mmCIF file of all heavy atoms in Angstrom:
data_model
loop_
_atom_site.group_PDB
_atom_site.id
_atom_site.type_symbol
_atom_site.label_atom_id
_atom_site.label_comp_id
_atom_site.label_asym_id
_atom_site.label_seq_id
_atom_site.Cartn_x
_atom_site.Cartn_y
_atom_site.Cartn_z
ATOM 1 N N LYS G 266 12.805 4.971 3.609
ATOM 2 C CA LYS G 266 13.661 6.101 3.991
ATOM 3 C C LYS G 266 14.844 6.226 3.037
ATOM 4 O O LYS G 266 15.199 7.319 2.595
ATOM 5 C CB LYS G 266 14.156 5.918 5.425
ATOM 6 C CG LYS G 266 14.943 7.107 5.969
ATOM 7 C CD LYS G 266 15.315 6.890 7.421
ATOM 8 C CE LYS G 266 16.120 8.054 7.967
ATOM 9 N NZ LYS G 266 15.336 9.298 8.012
ATOM 10 N N ILE G 267 15.438 5.085 2.716
ATOM 11 C CA ILE G 267 16.567 5.082 1.788
ATOM 12 C C ILE G 267 16.113 5.453 0.376
ATOM 13 O O ILE G 267 16.762 6.237 -0.330
ATOM 14 C CB ILE G 267 17.248 3.704 1.782
ATOM 15 C CG1 ILE G 267 17.905 3.448 3.148
ATOM 16 C CG2 ILE G 267 18.274 3.602 0.664
ATOM 17 C CD1 ILE G 267 18.368 2.023 3.355
ATOM 18 N N LEU G 268 14.979 4.908 -0.038
ATOM 19 C CA LEU G 268 14.512 5.104 -1.417
ATOM 20 C C LEU G 268 13.979 6.510 -1.655
ATOM 21 O O LEU G 268 14.279 7.135 -2.682
ATOM 22 C CB LEU G 268 13.423 4.075 -1.741
ATOM 23 C CG LEU G 268 12.978 3.964 -3.203
ATOM 24 C CD1 LEU G 268 14.142 3.532 -4.088
ATOM 25 C CD2 LEU G 268 11.825 2.980 -3.332
ATOM 26 N N PHE G 269 13.175 7.036 -0.716
ATOM 27 C CA PHE G 269 12.498 8.314 -0.933
ATOM 28 C C PHE G 269 13.051 9.469 -0.092
ATOM 29 O O PHE G 269 12.785 10.628 -0.402
ATOM 30 C CB PHE G 269 10.998 8.180 -0.619
ATOM 31 C CG PHE G 269 10.245 7.333 -1.608
ATOM 32 C CD1 PHE G 269 10.046 5.980 -1.374
ATOM 33 C CD2 PHE G 269 9.721 7.885 -2.771
ATOM 34 C CE1 PHE G 269 9.351 5.196 -2.270
ATOM 35 C CE2 PHE G 269 9.020 7.109 -3.677
ATOM 36 C CZ PHE G 269 8.837 5.758 -3.431
ATOM 37 N N GLY G 270 13.772 9.147 0.976
ATOM 38 C CA GLY G 270 14.286 10.210 1.827
ATOM 39 C C GLY G 270 13.222 10.897 2.664
ATOM 40 O O GLY G 270 13.439 12.000 3.167
ATOM 41 N N LEU G 271 12.062 10.253 2.821
ATOM 42 C CA LEU G 271 10.999 10.854 3.625
ATOM 43 C C LEU G 271 11.375 10.830 5.105
ATOM 44 O O LEU G 271 12.005 9.896 5.586
ATOM 45 C CB LEU G 271 9.687 10.097 3.427
ATOM 46 C CG LEU G 271 9.047 10.173 2.040
ATOM 47 C CD1 LEU G 271 7.804 9.295 1.995
ATOM 48 C CD2 LEU G 271 8.695 11.604 1.683
ATOM 49 N N LYS G 272 10.953 11.855 5.824
ATOM 50 C CA LYS G 272 11.230 11.929 7.251
ATOM 51 C C LYS G 272 10.164 11.221 8.082
ATOM 52 O O LYS G 272 10.232 11.198 9.310
ATOM 53 C CB LYS G 272 11.338 13.392 7.676
ATOM 54 C CG LYS G 272 12.500 14.126 7.005
ATOM 55 C CD LYS G 272 12.568 15.576 7.437
ATOM 56 C CE LYS G 272 13.725 16.284 6.758
ATOM 57 N NZ LYS G 272 13.809 17.718 7.151
ATOM 58 N N LEU G 273 9.177 10.641 7.425
ATOM 59 C CA LEU G 273 8.092 9.950 8.108
ATOM 60 C C LEU G 273 8.531 8.558 8.545
ATOM 61 O O LEU G 273 9.229 7.867 7.808
ATOM 62 C CB LEU G 273 6.881 9.846 7.181
ATOM 63 C CG LEU G 273 6.383 11.164 6.584
ATOM 64 C CD1 LEU G 273 5.306 10.894 5.541
ATOM 65 C CD2 LEU G 273 5.854 12.078 7.678
ATOM 66 N N LYS G 274 8.092 8.138 9.724
ATOM 67 C CA LYS G 274 8.472 6.837 10.239
ATOM 68 C C LYS G 274 7.503 5.729 9.835
ATOM 69 O O LYS G 274 7.859 4.558 9.846
ATOM 70 C CB LYS G 274 8.584 6.898 11.765
ATOM 71 C CG LYS G 274 9.768 7.719 12.248
ATOM 72 C CD LYS G 274 9.913 7.630 13.756
ATOM 73 C CE LYS G 274 11.148 8.392 14.224
ATOM 74 N NZ LYS G 274 11.312 8.303 15.701
ATOM 75 N N ASP G 275 6.271 6.086 9.514
ATOM 76 C CA ASP G 275 5.267 5.066 9.179
ATOM 77 C C ASP G 275 4.322 5.633 8.131
ATOM 78 O O ASP G 275 3.557 6.551 8.403
ATOM 79 C CB ASP G 275 4.495 4.670 10.437
ATOM 80 C CG ASP G 275 3.484 3.561 10.194
ATOM 81 O OD1 ASP G 275 3.381 3.089 9.043
ATOM 82 O OD2 ASP G 275 2.795 3.172 11.143
ATOM 83 N N THR G 276 4.366 5.073 6.940
ATOM 84 C CA THR G 276 3.512 5.555 5.850
ATOM 85 C C THR G 276 2.277 4.682 5.645
ATOM 86 O O THR G 276 1.371 5.071 4.914
ATOM 87 C CB THR G 276 4.294 5.585 4.520
ATOM 88 O OG1 THR G 276 4.730 4.256 4.189
ATOM 89 C CG2 THR G 276 5.499 6.506 4.616
ATOM 90 N N GLN G 277 2.212 3.510 6.276
ATOM 91 C CA GLN G 277 1.227 2.499 5.893
ATOM 92 C C GLN G 277 0.039 2.348 6.831
ATOM 93 O O GLN G 277 -0.895 1.618 6.523
ATOM 94 C CB GLN G 277 1.910 1.134 5.756
ATOM 95 C CG GLN G 277 3.066 1.109 4.763
ATOM 96 C CD GLN G 277 2.685 1.629 3.401
ATOM 97 O OE1 GLN G 277 3.226 2.626 2.940
ATOM 98 N NE2 GLN G 277 1.748 0.981 2.762
ATOM 99 N N THR G 278 0.056 2.981 8.001
ATOM 100 C CA THR G 278 -1.047 2.801 8.943
ATOM 101 C C THR G 278 -2.358 3.311 8.343
ATOM 102 O O THR G 278 -2.403 4.393 7.758
ATOM 103 C CB THR G 278 -0.735 3.521 10.268
ATOM 104 O OG1 THR G 278 0.422 2.899 10.851
ATOM 105 C CG2 THR G 278 -1.887 3.427 11.239
ATOM 106 N N GLY G 279 -3.429 2.528 8.540
ATOM 107 C CA GLY G 279 -4.682 2.761 7.816
ATOM 108 C C GLY G 279 -5.610 3.793 8.397
ATOM 109 O O GLY G 279 -6.835 3.585 8.444
ATOM 110 N N ILE G 280 -5.064 4.916 8.839
ATOM 111 C CA ILE G 280 -5.890 6.055 9.248
ATOM 112 C C ILE G 280 -5.120 7.334 8.909
ATOM 113 O O ILE G 280 -4.005 7.545 9.399
ATOM 114 C CB ILE G 280 -6.270 5.987 10.745
ATOM 115 C CG1 ILE G 280 -7.175 7.166 11.126
ATOM 116 C CG2 ILE G 280 -5.051 5.890 11.638
ATOM 117 C CD1 ILE G 280 -7.809 7.039 12.507
ATOM 118 N N LYS G 281 -5.707 8.143 8.057
ATOM 119 C CA LYS G 281 -5.073 9.385 7.611
ATOM 120 C C LYS G 281 -6.155 10.435 7.382
ATOM 121 O O LYS G 281 -7.280 10.105 6.993
ATOM 122 C CB LYS G 281 -4.281 9.160 6.319
ATOM 123 C CG LYS G 281 -3.072 8.247 6.473
ATOM 124 C CD LYS G 281 -2.340 8.054 5.151
ATOM 125 C CE LYS G 281 -1.043 7.293 5.326
ATOM 126 N NZ LYS G 281 -1.227 5.904 5.748
ATOM 127 N N LEU G 282 -5.794 11.695 7.610
ATOM 128 C CA LEU G 282 -6.731 12.807 7.428
ATOM 129 C C LEU G 282 -6.067 13.895 6.597
ATOM 130 O O LEU G 282 -4.864 14.167 6.766
ATOM 131 C CB LEU G 282 -7.175 13.346 8.795
ATOM 132 C CG LEU G 282 -8.193 14.495 8.774
ATOM 133 C CD1 LEU G 282 -9.231 14.310 9.881
ATOM 134 C CD2 LEU G 282 -7.494 15.850 8.950
ATOM 135 N N PHE G 283 -6.854 14.531 5.732
ATOM 136 C CA PHE G 283 -6.320 15.503 4.784
ATOM 137 C C PHE G 283 -7.230 16.725 4.669
ATOM 138 O O PHE G 283 -8.453 16.604 4.839
ATOM 139 C CB PHE G 283 -6.225 14.889 3.373
ATOM 140 C CG PHE G 283 -5.599 13.533 3.322
ATOM 141 C CD1 PHE G 283 -6.349 12.394 3.580
ATOM 142 C CD2 PHE G 283 -4.265 13.381 3.000
ATOM 143 C CE1 PHE G 283 -5.784 11.123 3.527
ATOM 144 C CE2 PHE G 283 -3.686 12.122 2.937
ATOM 145 C CZ PHE G 283 -4.448 10.997 3.208
ATOM 146 N N LYS G 284 -6.646 17.858 4.358
ATOM 147 C CA LYS G 284 -7.436 18.966 3.871
ATOM 148 C C LYS G 284 -7.859 18.593 2.450
ATOM 149 O O LYS G 284 -7.025 18.279 1.603
ATOM 150 C CB LYS G 284 -6.622 20.256 3.869
ATOM 151 C CG LYS G 284 -6.336 20.800 5.258
ATOM 152 C CD LYS G 284 -5.590 22.131 5.208
ATOM 153 C CE LYS G 284 -5.365 22.661 6.623
ATOM 154 N NZ LYS G 284 -4.578 23.932 6.615
ATOM 155 N N THR G 285 -9.134 18.614 2.196
ATOM 156 C CA THR G 285 -9.655 18.111 0.924
ATOM 157 C C THR G 285 -9.067 18.864 -0.264
ATOM 158 O O THR G 285 -8.691 18.261 -1.271
ATOM 159 C CB THR G 285 -11.192 18.191 0.903
ATOM 160 O OG1 THR G 285 -11.715 17.498 2.044
ATOM 161 C CG2 THR G 285 -11.760 17.553 -0.350
ATOM 162 N N ASP G 286 -8.961 20.176 -0.145
ATOM 163 C CA ASP G 286 -8.419 20.969 -1.249
ATOM 164 C C ASP G 286 -6.953 20.653 -1.525
ATOM 165 O O ASP G 286 -6.472 20.867 -2.641
ATOM 166 C CB ASP G 286 -8.561 22.467 -0.942
ATOM 167 C CG ASP G 286 -10.006 22.935 -1.013
ATOM 168 O OD1 ASP G 286 -10.850 22.200 -1.564
ATOM 169 O OD2 ASP G 286 -10.296 24.044 -0.512
ATOM 170 N N SER G 287 -6.247 20.146 -0.523
ATOM 171 C CA SER G 287 -4.832 19.806 -0.699
ATOM 172 C C SER G 287 -4.642 18.435 -1.320
ATOM 173 O O SER G 287 -3.741 18.235 -2.143
ATOM 174 C CB SER G 287 -4.095 19.857 0.649
ATOM 175 O OG SER G 287 -4.093 21.155 1.193
ATOM 176 N N ILE G 288 -5.491 17.469 -0.937
ATOM 177 C CA ILE G 288 -5.263 16.096 -1.364
ATOM 178 C C ILE G 288 -5.885 15.762 -2.716
ATOM 179 O O ILE G 288 -5.349 14.937 -3.469
ATOM 180 C CB ILE G 288 -5.761 15.094 -0.294
ATOM 181 C CG1 ILE G 288 -5.235 13.682 -0.584
ATOM 182 C CG2 ILE G 288 -7.284 15.095 -0.199
ATOM 183 C CD1 ILE G 288 -3.728 13.567 -0.598
ATOM 184 N N GLN G 289 -6.995 16.378 -3.081
ATOM 185 C CA GLN G 289 -7.652 15.961 -4.324
ATOM 186 C C GLN G 289 -6.793 16.176 -5.576
ATOM 187 O O GLN G 289 -6.799 15.317 -6.469
ATOM 188 C CB GLN G 289 -9.022 16.627 -4.443
ATOM 189 C CG GLN G 289 -10.036 15.995 -3.479
ATOM 190 C CD GLN G 289 -11.458 16.462 -3.684
ATOM 191 O OE1 GLN G 289 -11.708 17.500 -4.274
ATOM 192 N NE2 GLN G 289 -12.409 15.685 -3.174
ATOM 193 N N PRO G 290 -6.012 17.262 -5.681
ATOM 194 C CA PRO G 290 -5.108 17.371 -6.843
ATOM 195 C C PRO G 290 -4.056 16.259 -6.868
ATOM 196 O O PRO G 290 -3.660 15.798 -7.944
ATOM 197 C CB PRO G 290 -4.457 18.743 -6.659
ATOM 198 C CG PRO G 290 -5.411 19.514 -5.821
ATOM 199 C CD PRO G 290 -6.014 18.505 -4.885
ATOM 200 N N ILE G 291 -3.612 15.809 -5.695
ATOM 201 C CA ILE G 291 -2.637 14.716 -5.618
ATOM 202 C C ILE G 291 -3.265 13.406 -6.074
ATOM 203 O O ILE G 291 -2.656 12.628 -6.811
ATOM 204 C CB ILE G 291 -2.100 14.591 -4.178
ATOM 205 C CG1 ILE G 291 -1.253 15.814 -3.831
ATOM 206 C CG2 ILE G 291 -1.288 13.306 -3.997
ATOM 207 C CD1 ILE G 291 -0.793 15.872 -2.397
ATOM 208 N N LEU G 292 -4.501 13.166 -5.662
ATOM 209 C CA LEU G 292 -5.197 11.945 -6.057
ATOM 210 C C LEU G 292 -5.288 11.809 -7.569
ATOM 211 O O LEU G 292 -5.178 10.705 -8.118
ATOM 212 C CB LEU G 292 -6.601 11.919 -5.450
ATOM 213 C CG LEU G 292 -6.687 11.839 -3.921
ATOM 214 C CD1 LEU G 292 -8.118 12.092 -3.462
ATOM 215 C CD2 LEU G 292 -6.194 10.491 -3.418
ATOM 216 N N LYS G 293 -5.466 12.916 -8.244
ATOM 217 C CA LYS G 293 -5.596 12.889 -9.704
ATOM 218 C C LYS G 293 -4.281 12.557 -10.399
ATOM 219 O O LYS G 293 -4.267 12.156 -11.565
ATOM 220 C CB LYS G 293 -6.143 14.230 -10.189
ATOM 221 C CG LYS G 293 -7.578 14.480 -9.729
ATOM 222 C CD LYS G 293 -8.061 15.869 -10.094
ATOM 223 C CE LYS G 293 -9.476 16.111 -9.576
ATOM 224 N NZ LYS G 293 -9.955 17.486 -9.849
ATOM 225 N N LEU G 294 -3.156 12.714 -9.674
ATOM 226 C CA LEU G 294 -1.846 12.385 -10.232
ATOM 227 C C LEU G 294 -1.444 10.939 -9.963
ATOM 228 O O LEU G 294 -0.537 10.414 -10.598
ATOM 229 C CB LEU G 294 -0.774 13.301 -9.636
ATOM 230 C CG LEU G 294 -0.844 14.789 -9.998
ATOM 231 C CD1 LEU G 294 0.157 15.577 -9.153
ATOM 232 C CD2 LEU G 294 -0.566 14.992 -11.479
ATOM 233 N N MET G 295 -2.135 10.304 -9.032
ATOM 234 C CA MET G 295 -1.716 8.980 -8.584
ATOM 235 C C MET G 295 -2.061 7.874 -9.586
ATOM 236 O O MET G 295 -3.090 7.921 -10.240
ATOM 237 C CB MET G 295 -2.353 8.674 -7.224
ATOM 238 C CG MET G 295 -1.787 9.512 -6.093
ATOM 239 S SD MET G 295 -2.660 9.234 -4.529
ATOM 240 C CE MET G 295 -2.415 7.460 -4.317
ATOM 241 N N LYS G 296 -1.179 6.876 -9.634
ATOM 242 C CA LYS G 296 -1.368 5.749 -10.541
ATOM 243 C C LYS G 296 -1.496 4.407 -9.824
ATOM 244 O O LYS G 296 -2.013 3.449 -10.385
ATOM 245 C CB LYS G 296 -0.187 5.676 -11.525
ATOM 246 C CG LYS G 296 -0.119 6.853 -12.496
ATOM 247 C CD LYS G 296 0.980 6.640 -13.509
ATOM 248 C CE LYS G 296 0.987 7.735 -14.564
ATOM 249 N NZ LYS G 296 2.039 7.512 -15.591
ATOM 250 N N THR G 297 -1.008 4.328 -8.597
ATOM 251 C CA THR G 297 -0.998 3.065 -7.869
ATOM 252 C C THR G 297 -2.373 2.761 -7.294
ATOM 253 O O THR G 297 -2.965 3.616 -6.637
ATOM 254 C CB THR G 297 0.038 3.099 -6.734
ATOM 255 O OG1 THR G 297 1.316 3.412 -7.293
ATOM 256 C CG2 THR G 297 0.108 1.766 -6.020
ATOM 257 N N GLY G 298 -2.868 1.541 -7.510
ATOM 258 C CA GLY G 298 -4.209 1.200 -7.061
ATOM 259 C C GLY G 298 -4.276 0.217 -5.919
ATOM 260 O O GLY G 298 -5.352 -0.038 -5.400
ATOM 261 N N ARG G 299 -3.119 -0.304 -5.491
ATOM 262 C CA ARG G 299 -3.210 -1.349 -4.485
ATOM 263 C C ARG G 299 -2.454 -0.958 -3.215
ATOM 264 O O ARG G 299 -2.623 0.133 -2.702
ATOM 265 C CB ARG G 299 -2.720 -2.678 -5.074
ATOM 266 C CG ARG G 299 -3.547 -3.087 -6.326
ATOM 267 C CD ARG G 299 -3.342 -4.526 -6.728
ATOM 268 N NE ARG G 299 -4.011 -5.451 -5.825
ATOM 269 C CZ ARG G 299 -5.295 -5.788 -5.909
ATOM 270 N NH1 ARG G 299 -6.067 -5.261 -6.840
ATOM 271 N NH2 ARG G 299 -5.824 -6.640 -5.056
ATOM 272 N N PHE G 300 -1.612 -1.819 -2.695
ATOM 273 C CA PHE G 300 -1.063 -1.644 -1.356
ATOM 274 C C PHE G 300 -0.148 -0.432 -1.200
ATOM 275 O O PHE G 300 -0.023 0.096 -0.092
ATOM 276 C CB PHE G 300 -0.281 -2.899 -0.944
ATOM 277 C CG PHE G 300 -1.126 -4.129 -0.840
ATOM 278 C CD1 PHE G 300 -1.069 -5.110 -1.809
ATOM 279 C CD2 PHE G 300 -1.982 -4.312 0.232
ATOM 280 C CE1 PHE G 300 -1.838 -6.255 -1.713
ATOM 281 C CE2 PHE G 300 -2.775 -5.447 0.335
ATOM 282 C CZ PHE G 300 -2.696 -6.421 -0.636
#
């Protein structure tokens, strides 16, 4: 919260759902491969 200013309370829980057209462009920008 301090570092990114996100309003989300939990970013790490292992279940997430996305609109495919929205998330795939983001995936192509990502560099982190682990946790």
Side-chain angles (χ1 to χ4, degrees):
K266 186 176 179 65
I267 293 169
L268 190 62
F269 291 94
L271 293 176
K272 297 179 180 179
L273 306 172
K274 290 186 177 181
D275 183 0
T276 61
Q277 303 307 118
T278 297
I280 182 169
K281 294 179 173 66
L282 182 140
F283 313 83
K284 289 183 178 177
T285 305
D286 289 345
S287 296
I288 193 60
Q289 286 189 340
I291 292 174
L292 295 169
K293 293 174 182 177
L294 293 171
M295 290 175 58
K296 293 186 175 182
T297 304
R299 302 194 74 83
F300 297 105

